[in-house]
C-alpha cells in the first residue's frame, strides 16, 4: 500500500519551508518528490536597483549561515569585472573569515544532524562549542552573524595584533572539540549503525546531479573551488581537500568534521603569514563589463555573475547557491531507505532553502508565472487582508 | 478493610494522586538532568504542573475524519491502565502479604494497555504520520514483550514458581535476586524494555518528532494530550518501582528512594547518550540480542544460578 508522508512545508525536521513528498510502502521510501519555492524573496530582482555597496549587504542576507560566502563571491565578481587589485592583507582576512564561517556552519550542521537522529546531547554540545567562533566574529567584525566584512576592493575591518592570540586560543579549544566529536562519532556503535550505508550517493550519480561541496566530496568527487579556482589567499597556504569515497551520511559527517580541522590549519597559517599593510584599495568607478565570482561556501560552490552598467549599479546579477544543486540529489539518495533514514539523508546535504530560492518563475504543469504575477498576487493578498481587518 | 481505606489507597496513596503528583515531579527531574547534561539551564520544578494546567485549559480538537469515540477514549484507556498498574505495583511494595495469585499477569496486561491506547488513538486519528507512528509503536510492542516476559519469568522461577508479586518481594528478604547472574541479566533486560515502554531514546521511534513529527500523539491537544503525557509520567514513576520489586527490594523507605533514583538516573543517562534507532534495528535488537540474552537468563535460573 502506498502512502504519502509529507515532510514540509512546515515540519520540525527543518526550520525553513520546503516540501518533500515521501511516497512510502510501509516504512520504505519508494519515491521522493521535491517541491521548493516557498521562500522566494526576489534578491536578483532587487540587486540591479541598488548600488554596489548596498548589494554586498543585500546578498549577505540571502542566508544567515553563508553570510560571508555570498558577499565574498559578489565582490569577487565585481572586482573581476572592474579589474580591481585587492591588497594582500585583505585577501588573508577574507580567507580567515571564510574559514571561520565554515567551522561554525559545520558545527551547526553537526548539531542538527545529532538532533535529527534523536541525539539531543550532540546537538547542544556542538552548538556550545560553536559559540566561541561566533565570539571571534563579534570581536573582529562587531557582529555574530551578518559580518558586513567584504567590500569591493578589500575588507571593512582589520584584525588587530592583540586579537591574534585570542583567536589562536579559541582555535585550540575548537580543535579539541572537533577531535572529541570525531572520535565520539567514529567510536559509537549506535551512531555508526544509524549513519553507515544510509543515503548512499554513488560517484557517477553525484556527477550526474552536479552536486557540489561536502556532498560531492563525500561521494568521491574531488572538487573544491578553493583549490580549483583559487580565490582570496588559498593558493598561498598549504592545506588538503578532504575526500571520502563511500557517499553515505557517515562520509558526509566525516568530510565536514575533517574540514573543520583543515580550516583551523588554514586560519593558523593565515594569522602567521598575514602581511602588514592596507586592507582596501580605493575604487573610483566600475566600468562596463561582466565578471564572475566563485567561492567555496560551507555547502559548496557559490556562483555570482554580475554584468556591470558603467554606473553605480549592475544590470544583471545572477546567483547560484550550492543547495540548489545538492537538494535535487535527494531524489536519488533517499529512495529505497526507511522514513527514518530519508529524514536523515534529506538533512545530510545541509540544505539551505533561503540560499536556494531566488527563482522567479514558478513552473506548473500548465502555466508559468513570472515575477510580476507573483508580486501582483502578493499585493492582492495584502489588499484582501487590509480590507478584512479594516472591517473589524 | 473498610471501604474508606480502599478508596484512600486507590485515590490518594499509593493511587491516583500520589502517582500523578510524583510522576510529574519525575518528569521535571528528567528534564532538569537532561538539561544539565546538555549544558542547558532546564525548567523550574513547577514546570510540569504548569504544562499540565495549560493543557487542561486548551481546546480539544478532534480531526474531522477520525473515529471520535475511539480518538477520545484512547487517552483515557492509557491513563487508567497506567494508574491501575502503578497503584498495584506500589500497593504490593507497601503490603506484600496482600498480593493475590497472578497479580504479575494483571500488571503485565495493564502495562501493555498503555501503548495499546497510544496505538488506538493514533490509528483512529487518520493522520498518515500518526498511522506511521502507530505502526512503529505496534512493532516495538511486539518486539519488547518477549524479553519482558522472559525477564519476569526469571524472578518468578527464583521465587519458587509463584506468580505473586508479594511472594517475589518476600522471597528476597535475605538476598536480592539481583545479586546473581540470572538476576543481573533480568535487570539489564528490564532496563532496555522499560526504556522502550517509556518511549525514550533510543526507542522513541513511535514519536520521532524529526521524522513523523510527534507520531502517535500528533493529532492530540488539550485534555487528551495531557492524559497521554500523564500516562507516560506515571509509567516513569512505576516502572523503576516494578524493577525494584522484582529484583532488588528495599528494606526501608530510604534505601528504596536511593535504589529508585539509581535506576531513574540510568534511564535518563541512557536517554541522553544514545541516538534513536531505526524501527528495524530496534526490532532486531529486541528479538535477536535481548531475546536470546533473556532466554539465557531463564536457562541460568533453571540451573540454579
Amino acid at each position: 500500500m502506498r502512502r504519502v508522508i509529507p515532510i514540509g512545508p512546515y515540519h520540525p525536521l527543518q526550520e525553513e519551508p520546503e516540501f518533500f513528498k515521501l511516497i512510502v510502502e510501509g516504512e520504505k521510501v519508494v519515491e521522493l518528490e521535491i517541491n521548493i519555492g516557498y521562500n522566494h524573496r526576489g534578491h536578483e530582482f532587487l540587486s540591479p536597483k541598488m548600488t554596489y555597496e548596498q548589494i554586498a549587504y543585500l546578498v549577505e542576507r540571502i542566508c544567515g549561515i553563508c553570510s560571508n560566502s555570498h558577499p565574498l563571491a559578489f565582490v569577487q565578481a565585481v572586482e573581476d569585472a572592474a579589474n580591481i587589485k585587492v591588497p594582500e592583507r585583505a585577501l588573508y582576512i577574507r580567507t580567515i573569515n571564510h574559514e571561520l564561517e565554515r567551522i561554525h556552519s559545520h558545527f551547526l550542521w553537526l548539531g542538527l544532524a545529532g538532533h535529527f537522529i534523536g541525539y539531543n546531547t550532540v546537538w547542544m554540545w556542538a552548538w556550545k562549542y560553536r559559540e566561541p567562533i561566533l565570539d571571534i566574529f563579534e570581536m573582529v567584525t562587531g557582529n555574530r552573524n551578518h559580518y558586513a566584512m567584504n567590500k569591493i576592493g578589500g575588507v571593512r575591518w582589520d584584525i588587530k595584533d592583540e586579537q591574534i592570540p585570542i583567536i589562536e586560543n579559541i582555535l585550540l579549544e575548537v580543535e579539541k572539540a572537533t577531535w572529541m566529536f570525531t572520535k565520539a562519532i567514529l567510536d559509537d556503535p549506535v551512531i555508526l549503525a544509524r549513519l553507515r550505508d544510509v543515503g548512499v550517493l554513488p560517484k557517477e550519480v553525484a556527477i550526474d546531479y552536479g552536486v557540489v561541496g561536502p556532498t560531492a566530496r563525500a561521494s568521491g568527487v574531488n572538487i573544491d573551488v578553493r583549490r580549483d579556482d583559487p580565490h582570496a589567499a588559498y593558493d598561498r597556504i598549504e592545506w588538503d581537500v578532504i575526500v571520502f569515497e563511500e557517499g553515505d551520511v557517515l562520509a558526509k559527517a566525516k568530510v565536514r568534521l575533517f574540514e573543520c580541522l583543515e580550516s583551523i590549519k588554514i586560519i593558523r597559517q593565515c594569522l602567521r603569514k598575514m602581511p602588514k599593510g592596507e586592507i582596501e584599495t580605493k575604487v573610483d568607478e566600475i566600468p562596463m563589463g561582466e565578471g564572475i565570482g566563485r567561492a567555496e561556501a560551507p555547502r559548496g560552490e557559490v556562483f555570482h555573475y554580475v554584468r556591470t552598467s558603467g554606473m553605480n549599479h549592475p544590470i544583471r546579477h545572477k546567483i547560484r547557491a550550492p543547495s540548489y544543486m545538492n537538494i535535487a540529489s535527494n531524489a536519488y539518495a533517499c529512495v529505497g531507505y526507511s522514513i527514518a533514514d530519508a529524514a536523515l539523508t534529506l538533512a545530510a546535504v545541509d540544505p539551505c532553502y533561503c540560499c536556494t530560492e531566488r527563482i522567479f518563475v514558478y513552473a506548473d504543469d500548465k502555466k508559468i508565472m513570472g515575477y510580476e504575477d507573483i508580486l501582483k498576487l502578493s499585493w492582492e493578498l495584502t489588499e484582501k487582508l487590509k480590507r478584512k481587518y479594516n472591517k473589524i | 478493610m473498610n471501604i474508606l481505606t480502599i478508596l484512600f489507597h486507590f485515590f490518594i496513596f499509593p493511587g491516583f494522586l500520589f502517582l500523578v503528583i510524583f510522576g510529574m515531579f519525575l518528569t521535571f527531574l528528567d528534564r532538569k538532568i537532561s538539561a544539565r547534561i546538555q549544558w542547558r539551564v532546564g525548567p523550574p520544578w513547577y514546570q510540569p504542573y504548569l504544562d499540565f494546567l495549560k493543557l487542561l485549559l486548551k481546546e480539544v480538537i478532534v480531526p474531522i475524519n477520525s473515529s471520535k469515540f475511539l480518538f477520545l477514549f484512547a487517552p483515557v484507556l492509557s491513563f487508567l491502565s497506567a494508574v491501575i498498574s502503578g497503584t498495584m505495583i506500589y500497593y504490593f511494595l507497601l503490603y506484600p502479604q496482600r498480593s493475590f495469585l497472578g497479580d504479575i499477569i494483571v500488571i503485565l496486561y495493564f502495562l501493555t494497555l498503555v501503548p495499546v491506547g497510544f496505538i488506538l488513538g493514533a490509528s483512529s486519528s487518520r493522520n498518515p504520520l500518526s498511522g506511521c507512528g502507530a505502526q512503529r509503536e505496534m512493532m516495538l510492542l511486539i518486539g519488547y514483550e518477549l524479553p519482558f516476559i522472559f525477564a519476569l519469568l526469571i524472578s518468578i522461577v527464583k521465587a519458587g514458581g509463584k506468580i505473586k508479586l508479594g511472594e517475589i518481594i518476600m522471597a528476597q528478604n535475605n538476598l536480592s535476586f539481583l545479586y546473581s547472574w540470572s538476576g543481573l541479566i533480568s535487570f539489564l533486560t528490564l532496563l532496555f524494555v522499560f526504556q522502550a515502554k517509556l518511549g525514550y531514546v533510543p526507542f522513541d521511534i513511535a514519536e520521532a518528532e524529526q521524522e513523523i513529527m510527534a507520531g502517535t500523539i500528533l493529532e492530540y491537544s488539550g485534555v487528551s494530550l495531557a492524559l497521554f503525557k500523564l500516562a507516560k509520567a506515571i509509567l516513569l514513576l512505576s516502572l523503576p518501582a516494578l524493577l525494584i520489586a522484582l529484583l532488588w527490594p528495599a528494606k526501608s523507605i530510604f534505601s528504596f528512594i536511593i535504589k529508585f533514583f539509581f535506576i531513574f538516573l540510568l534511564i535518563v543517562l541512557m536517554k541522553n547518550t544514545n541516538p534513536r534507532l531505526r524501527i528495524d534495528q530496534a526490532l532486531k535488537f529486541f528479538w535477536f540480542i535481548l531475546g536470546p540474552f533473556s532466554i539465557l537468563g531463564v536457562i541460568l535460573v533453571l540451573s540454579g544460578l
Side-chain angles (χ1 to χ4, degrees):
Chain A
M1 194 187 70
R2 285 194 170 205
R3 278 186 303 169
V4 173
I5 296 284
I7 292 189
Y10 297 101
H11 191 280
L13 177 68
Q14 274 148 11
E15 61 279 13
E16 294 168 275
E18 80 289 330
F19 186 27
F20 296 109
K21 224 182 194 175
L22 301 182
I23 296 160
V24 296
E25 276 172 9
E27 276 271 330
K28 202 175 135 204
V29 179
V30 289
E31 212 182 312
L32 176 73
E33 222 175 88
I34 301 170
N35 279 330
I36 51 175
Y38 294 92
N39 205 8
H40 166 60
R41 287 170 300 160
H43 275 105
E44 287 176 20
F45 180 79
L46 289 171
S47 177
K49 300 182 172 166
M50 292 181 166
T51 63
Y52 291 113
E53 275 72 27
Q54 289 172 320
I55 295 169
Y57 298 123
L58 174 77
V59 291
E60 192 163 285
R61 271 140 190 86
I62 286 174
C63 170
I65 311 293
C66 314
S67 52
N68 191 58
S69 314
H70 281 289
L72 180 61
F74 168 72
V75 296
Q76 281 174 357
V78 178
E79 281 157 9
D80 179 31
N83 270 327
I84 299 165
K85 185 103 176 53
V86 182
E88 276 289 295
R89 189 174 175 84
L91 289 180
Y92 278 95
I93 292 175
R94 279 180 183 180
T95 314
I96 291 171
N97 254 314
H98 205 44
E99 291 310 307
L100 283 173
E101 182 190 70
R102 191 178 322 279
I103 300 174
H104 105 71
S105 173
H106 284 351
F107 266 62
L108 185 112
W109 177 83
L110 181 69
L112 284 178
H115 175 56
F116 295 151
I117 56 172
Y119 202 160
N120 285 349
T121 311
V122 167
W123 177 26
M124 292 294 160
W125 280 50
W127 284 25
K128 174 187 181 285
Y129 285 110
R130 169 178 170 258
E131 210 59 18
I133 301 283
L134 299 183
D135 289 344
I136 298 182
F137 275 128
E138 194 172 359
M139 183 178 72
V140 175
T141 71
N143 289 318
R144 281 159 56 86
N145 259 312
H146 297 309
Y147 325 110
M149 195 64 170
N150 295 294
K151 68 186 286 188
I152 293 158
V155 289
R156 210 166 281 278
W157 299 99
D158 200 355
I159 294 180
K160 299 184 190 75
D161 283 344
E162 63 266 25
Q163 286 170 342
I164 291 176
I166 305 174
I167 297 176
E168 297 225 342
N169 278 341
I170 292 176
L171 283 184
L172 269 178
E173 198 183 314
V174 173
E175 191 177 28
K176 256 186 238 158
T178 316
W179 275 116
M180 181 191 78
F181 282 119
T182 315
K183 280 178 190 151
I185 286 176
L186 296 181
D187 286 348
D188 191 330
V190 191
I191 293 187
L192 287 184
R194 275 310 303 277
L195 300 187
R196 188 175 276 161
D197 296 330
V198 165
V200 178
L201 190 70
K203 189 174 178 180
E204 305 77 48
V205 184
I207 293 171
D208 284 351
Y209 274 101
V211 295
V212 287
T215 314
R217 292 197 283 277
S219 294
V221 185
N222 194 350
I223 51 166
D224 193 319
V225 179
R226 290 176 290 173
R227 180 201 58 200
D228 302 339
D229 181 13
H231 52 88
Y234 284 109
D235 50 347
R236 299 158 177 82
I237 304 168
E238 277 175 24
W239 57 284
D240 298 319
V241 177
I242 307 287
V243 180
F244 282 92
E245 300 291 330
E246 298 92 326
D248 53 2
V249 178
L250 181 64
K252 285 172 187 141
K254 281 197 284 188
V255 164
R256 291 202 171 91
L257 279 166
F258 285 116
E259 258 180 23
C260 284
L261 294 172
E262 286 301 315
S263 297
I264 293 169
K265 212 162 99 185
I266 294 173
I267 298 168
R268 282 202 182 122
Q269 290 184 43
C270 281
L271 288 173
R272 235 166 275 144
K273 284 187 181 176
M274 203 158 55
K276 295 261 175 277
E278 287 293 304
I279 56 164
E280 58 174 306
T281 43
K282 201 162 167 6
V283 181
D284 290 328
E285 65 178 272
I286 291 160
M288 223 163 124
E290 58 183 357
I292 58 167
R294 298 165 83 190
E296 182 77 13
R299 288 156 184 78
E301 179 196 344
V302 166
F303 181 91
H304 280 234
Y305 166 83
V306 176
R307 180 182 283 270
T308 54
S309 61
M311 288 183 288
N312 63 350
H313 63 85
I315 297 172
R316 178 78 177 98
H317 183 188
K318 165 72 192 161
I319 307 165
R320 198 199 69 179
S323 295
Y324 186 62
M325 308 305 292
N326 291 343
I327 291 170
S329 72
N330 286 328
Y332 180 90
C334 286
V335 172
Y337 298 94
S338 72
I339 299 171
D341 287 341
L344 181 60
T345 313
L346 291 177
V349 302
D350 200 0
C352 176
Y353 301 97
C354 39
C355 273
T356 308
E357 288 164 14
R358 288 163 323 283
I359 313 121
F360 58 86
V361 176
Y362 173 75
D364 198 277
D365 279 3
K366 287 169 192 166
K367 60 182 173 185
I368 293 173
M369 269 188 168
Y371 176 84
E372 275 76 19
D373 298 316
I374 292 176
L375 200 63
K376 224 176 268 169
L377 273 181
S378 161
W379 284 340
E380 276 168 19
L381 187 68
T382 316
E383 284 301 310
K384 222 196 242 167
L385 287 175
K386 268 186 190 166
R387 277 202 299 277
K388 190 179 161 192
Y389 287 108
N390 280 343
K391 266 180 202 167
I392 298 165
Chain B
M1 211 168 30
N2 65 24
I3 189 82
L4 271 178
T5 355
I6 295 175
L7 284 181
F8 175 79
H9 282 321
F10 199 82
F11 283 107
I12 297 175
F13 185 81
F16 175 75
L17 215 57
F18 162 77
L19 289 173
V20 166
I21 290 174
F22 280 86
M24 280 203 270
F25 185 71
L26 277 188
T27 58
F28 152 70
L29 279 183
D30 168 27
R31 285 166 69 175
K32 188 79 182 176
I33 295 169
S34 302
R36 295 312 298 164
I37 292 172
Q38 298 169 4
W39 299 89
R40 290 187 285 121
V41 179
W45 66 268
Y46 49 84
Q47 190 63 49
Y49 306 102
L50 291 185
D51 287 352
F52 180 67
L53 276 181
K54 182 203 77 179
L55 281 179
L56 288 188
L57 299 173
K58 291 266 178 184
E59 181 190 3
V60 180
I61 299 164
V62 182
I64 292 172
N65 286 327
S66 68
S67 147
K68 286 191 183 53
F69 170 73
L70 210 53
F71 185 78
L72 294 174
F73 170 69
V76 181
L77 176 75
S78 272
F79 175 64
L80 286 184
S81 345
V83 168
I84 294 171
S85 58
T87 311
M88 282 176 76
I89 291 165
Y90 274 96
Y91 188 72
F92 296 140
L93 269 172
L94 283 173
Y95 310 105
Q97 62 283 4
R98 287 192 194 160
S99 82
F100 56 86
L101 189 65
D103 53 0
I104 291 186
I105 296 177
V106 179
I107 291 174
L108 184 74
Y109 265 96
F110 277 116
L111 284 180
T112 312
L113 273 183
V114 181
V116 167
F118 278 82
I119 295 169
L120 283 181
S123 319
S124 61
S125 74
R126 290 195 63 178
N127 184 315
L129 295 168
S130 284
C132 192
Q135 202 178 338
R136 290 176 174 197
E137 182 83 58
M138 229 181 303
M139 283 159 91
L140 205 58
L141 183 68
I142 294 167
Y144 66 65
E145 279 308 292
L146 184 77
F148 188 28
I149 289 168
F150 279 125
L152 289 180
L153 210 58
I154 291 171
S155 288
I156 292 169
V157 173
K158 270 194 171 279
K162 300 218 175 59
I163 313 179
K164 276 170 99 172
L165 197 59
E167 293 280 341
I168 290 176
I169 295 169
M170 284 190 286
Q172 301 176 71
N173 271 337
N174 297 323
L175 186 68
S176 296
F177 293 161
L178 180 64
Y179 306 123
S180 64
W181 286 110
S182 52
L184 207 60
I185 288 177
S186 171
F187 184 83
L188 288 175
T189 311
L190 284 177
L191 263 188
F192 283 114
V193 169
F194 289 168
Q195 201 80 5
K197 264 205 185 299
L198 288 167
Y200 275 3
V201 182
F203 304 113
D204 67 331
I205 310 164
E207 276 177 37
E209 60 163 61
Q210 295 86 6
E211 294 155 22
I212 48 173
M213 300 199 179
T216 43
I217 54 170
L218 174 57
E219 287 289 344
Y220 279 95
S221 54
V223 183
S224 23
L225 181 62
L227 287 181
F228 269 145
K229 298 243 170 195
L230 268 187
K232 279 272 159 82
I234 291 170
L235 280 189
L236 188 58
L237 182 63
S238 50
L239 288 178
L242 178 64
L243 191 51
I244 290 172
L246 285 172
L247 293 166
W248 205 17
K251 296 247 163 35
S252 66
I253 186 105
F254 184 67
S255 77
F256 175 82
I257 290 175
I258 288 182
K259 285 172 179 180
F260 184 93
F261 278 106
F262 174 70
I263 296 168
F264 178 73
L265 261 182
L266 281 184
I267 289 175
V268 175
L269 279 183
M270 207 205 292
K271 176 189 169 188
N272 279 301
T273 50
N274 274 299
R276 181 187 310 119
L277 287 172
R278 267 200 322 262
I279 185 68
D280 57 316
Q281 288 168 338
L283 266 189
K284 267 180 205 149
F285 173 75
F286 279 120
W287 278 355
F288 300 119
I289 297 174
L290 217 53
F293 187 60
S294 53
I295 291 173
L296 177 75
V298 176
I299 294 169
L300 281 179
V301 75
L302 286 175
S303 54
L305 279 167

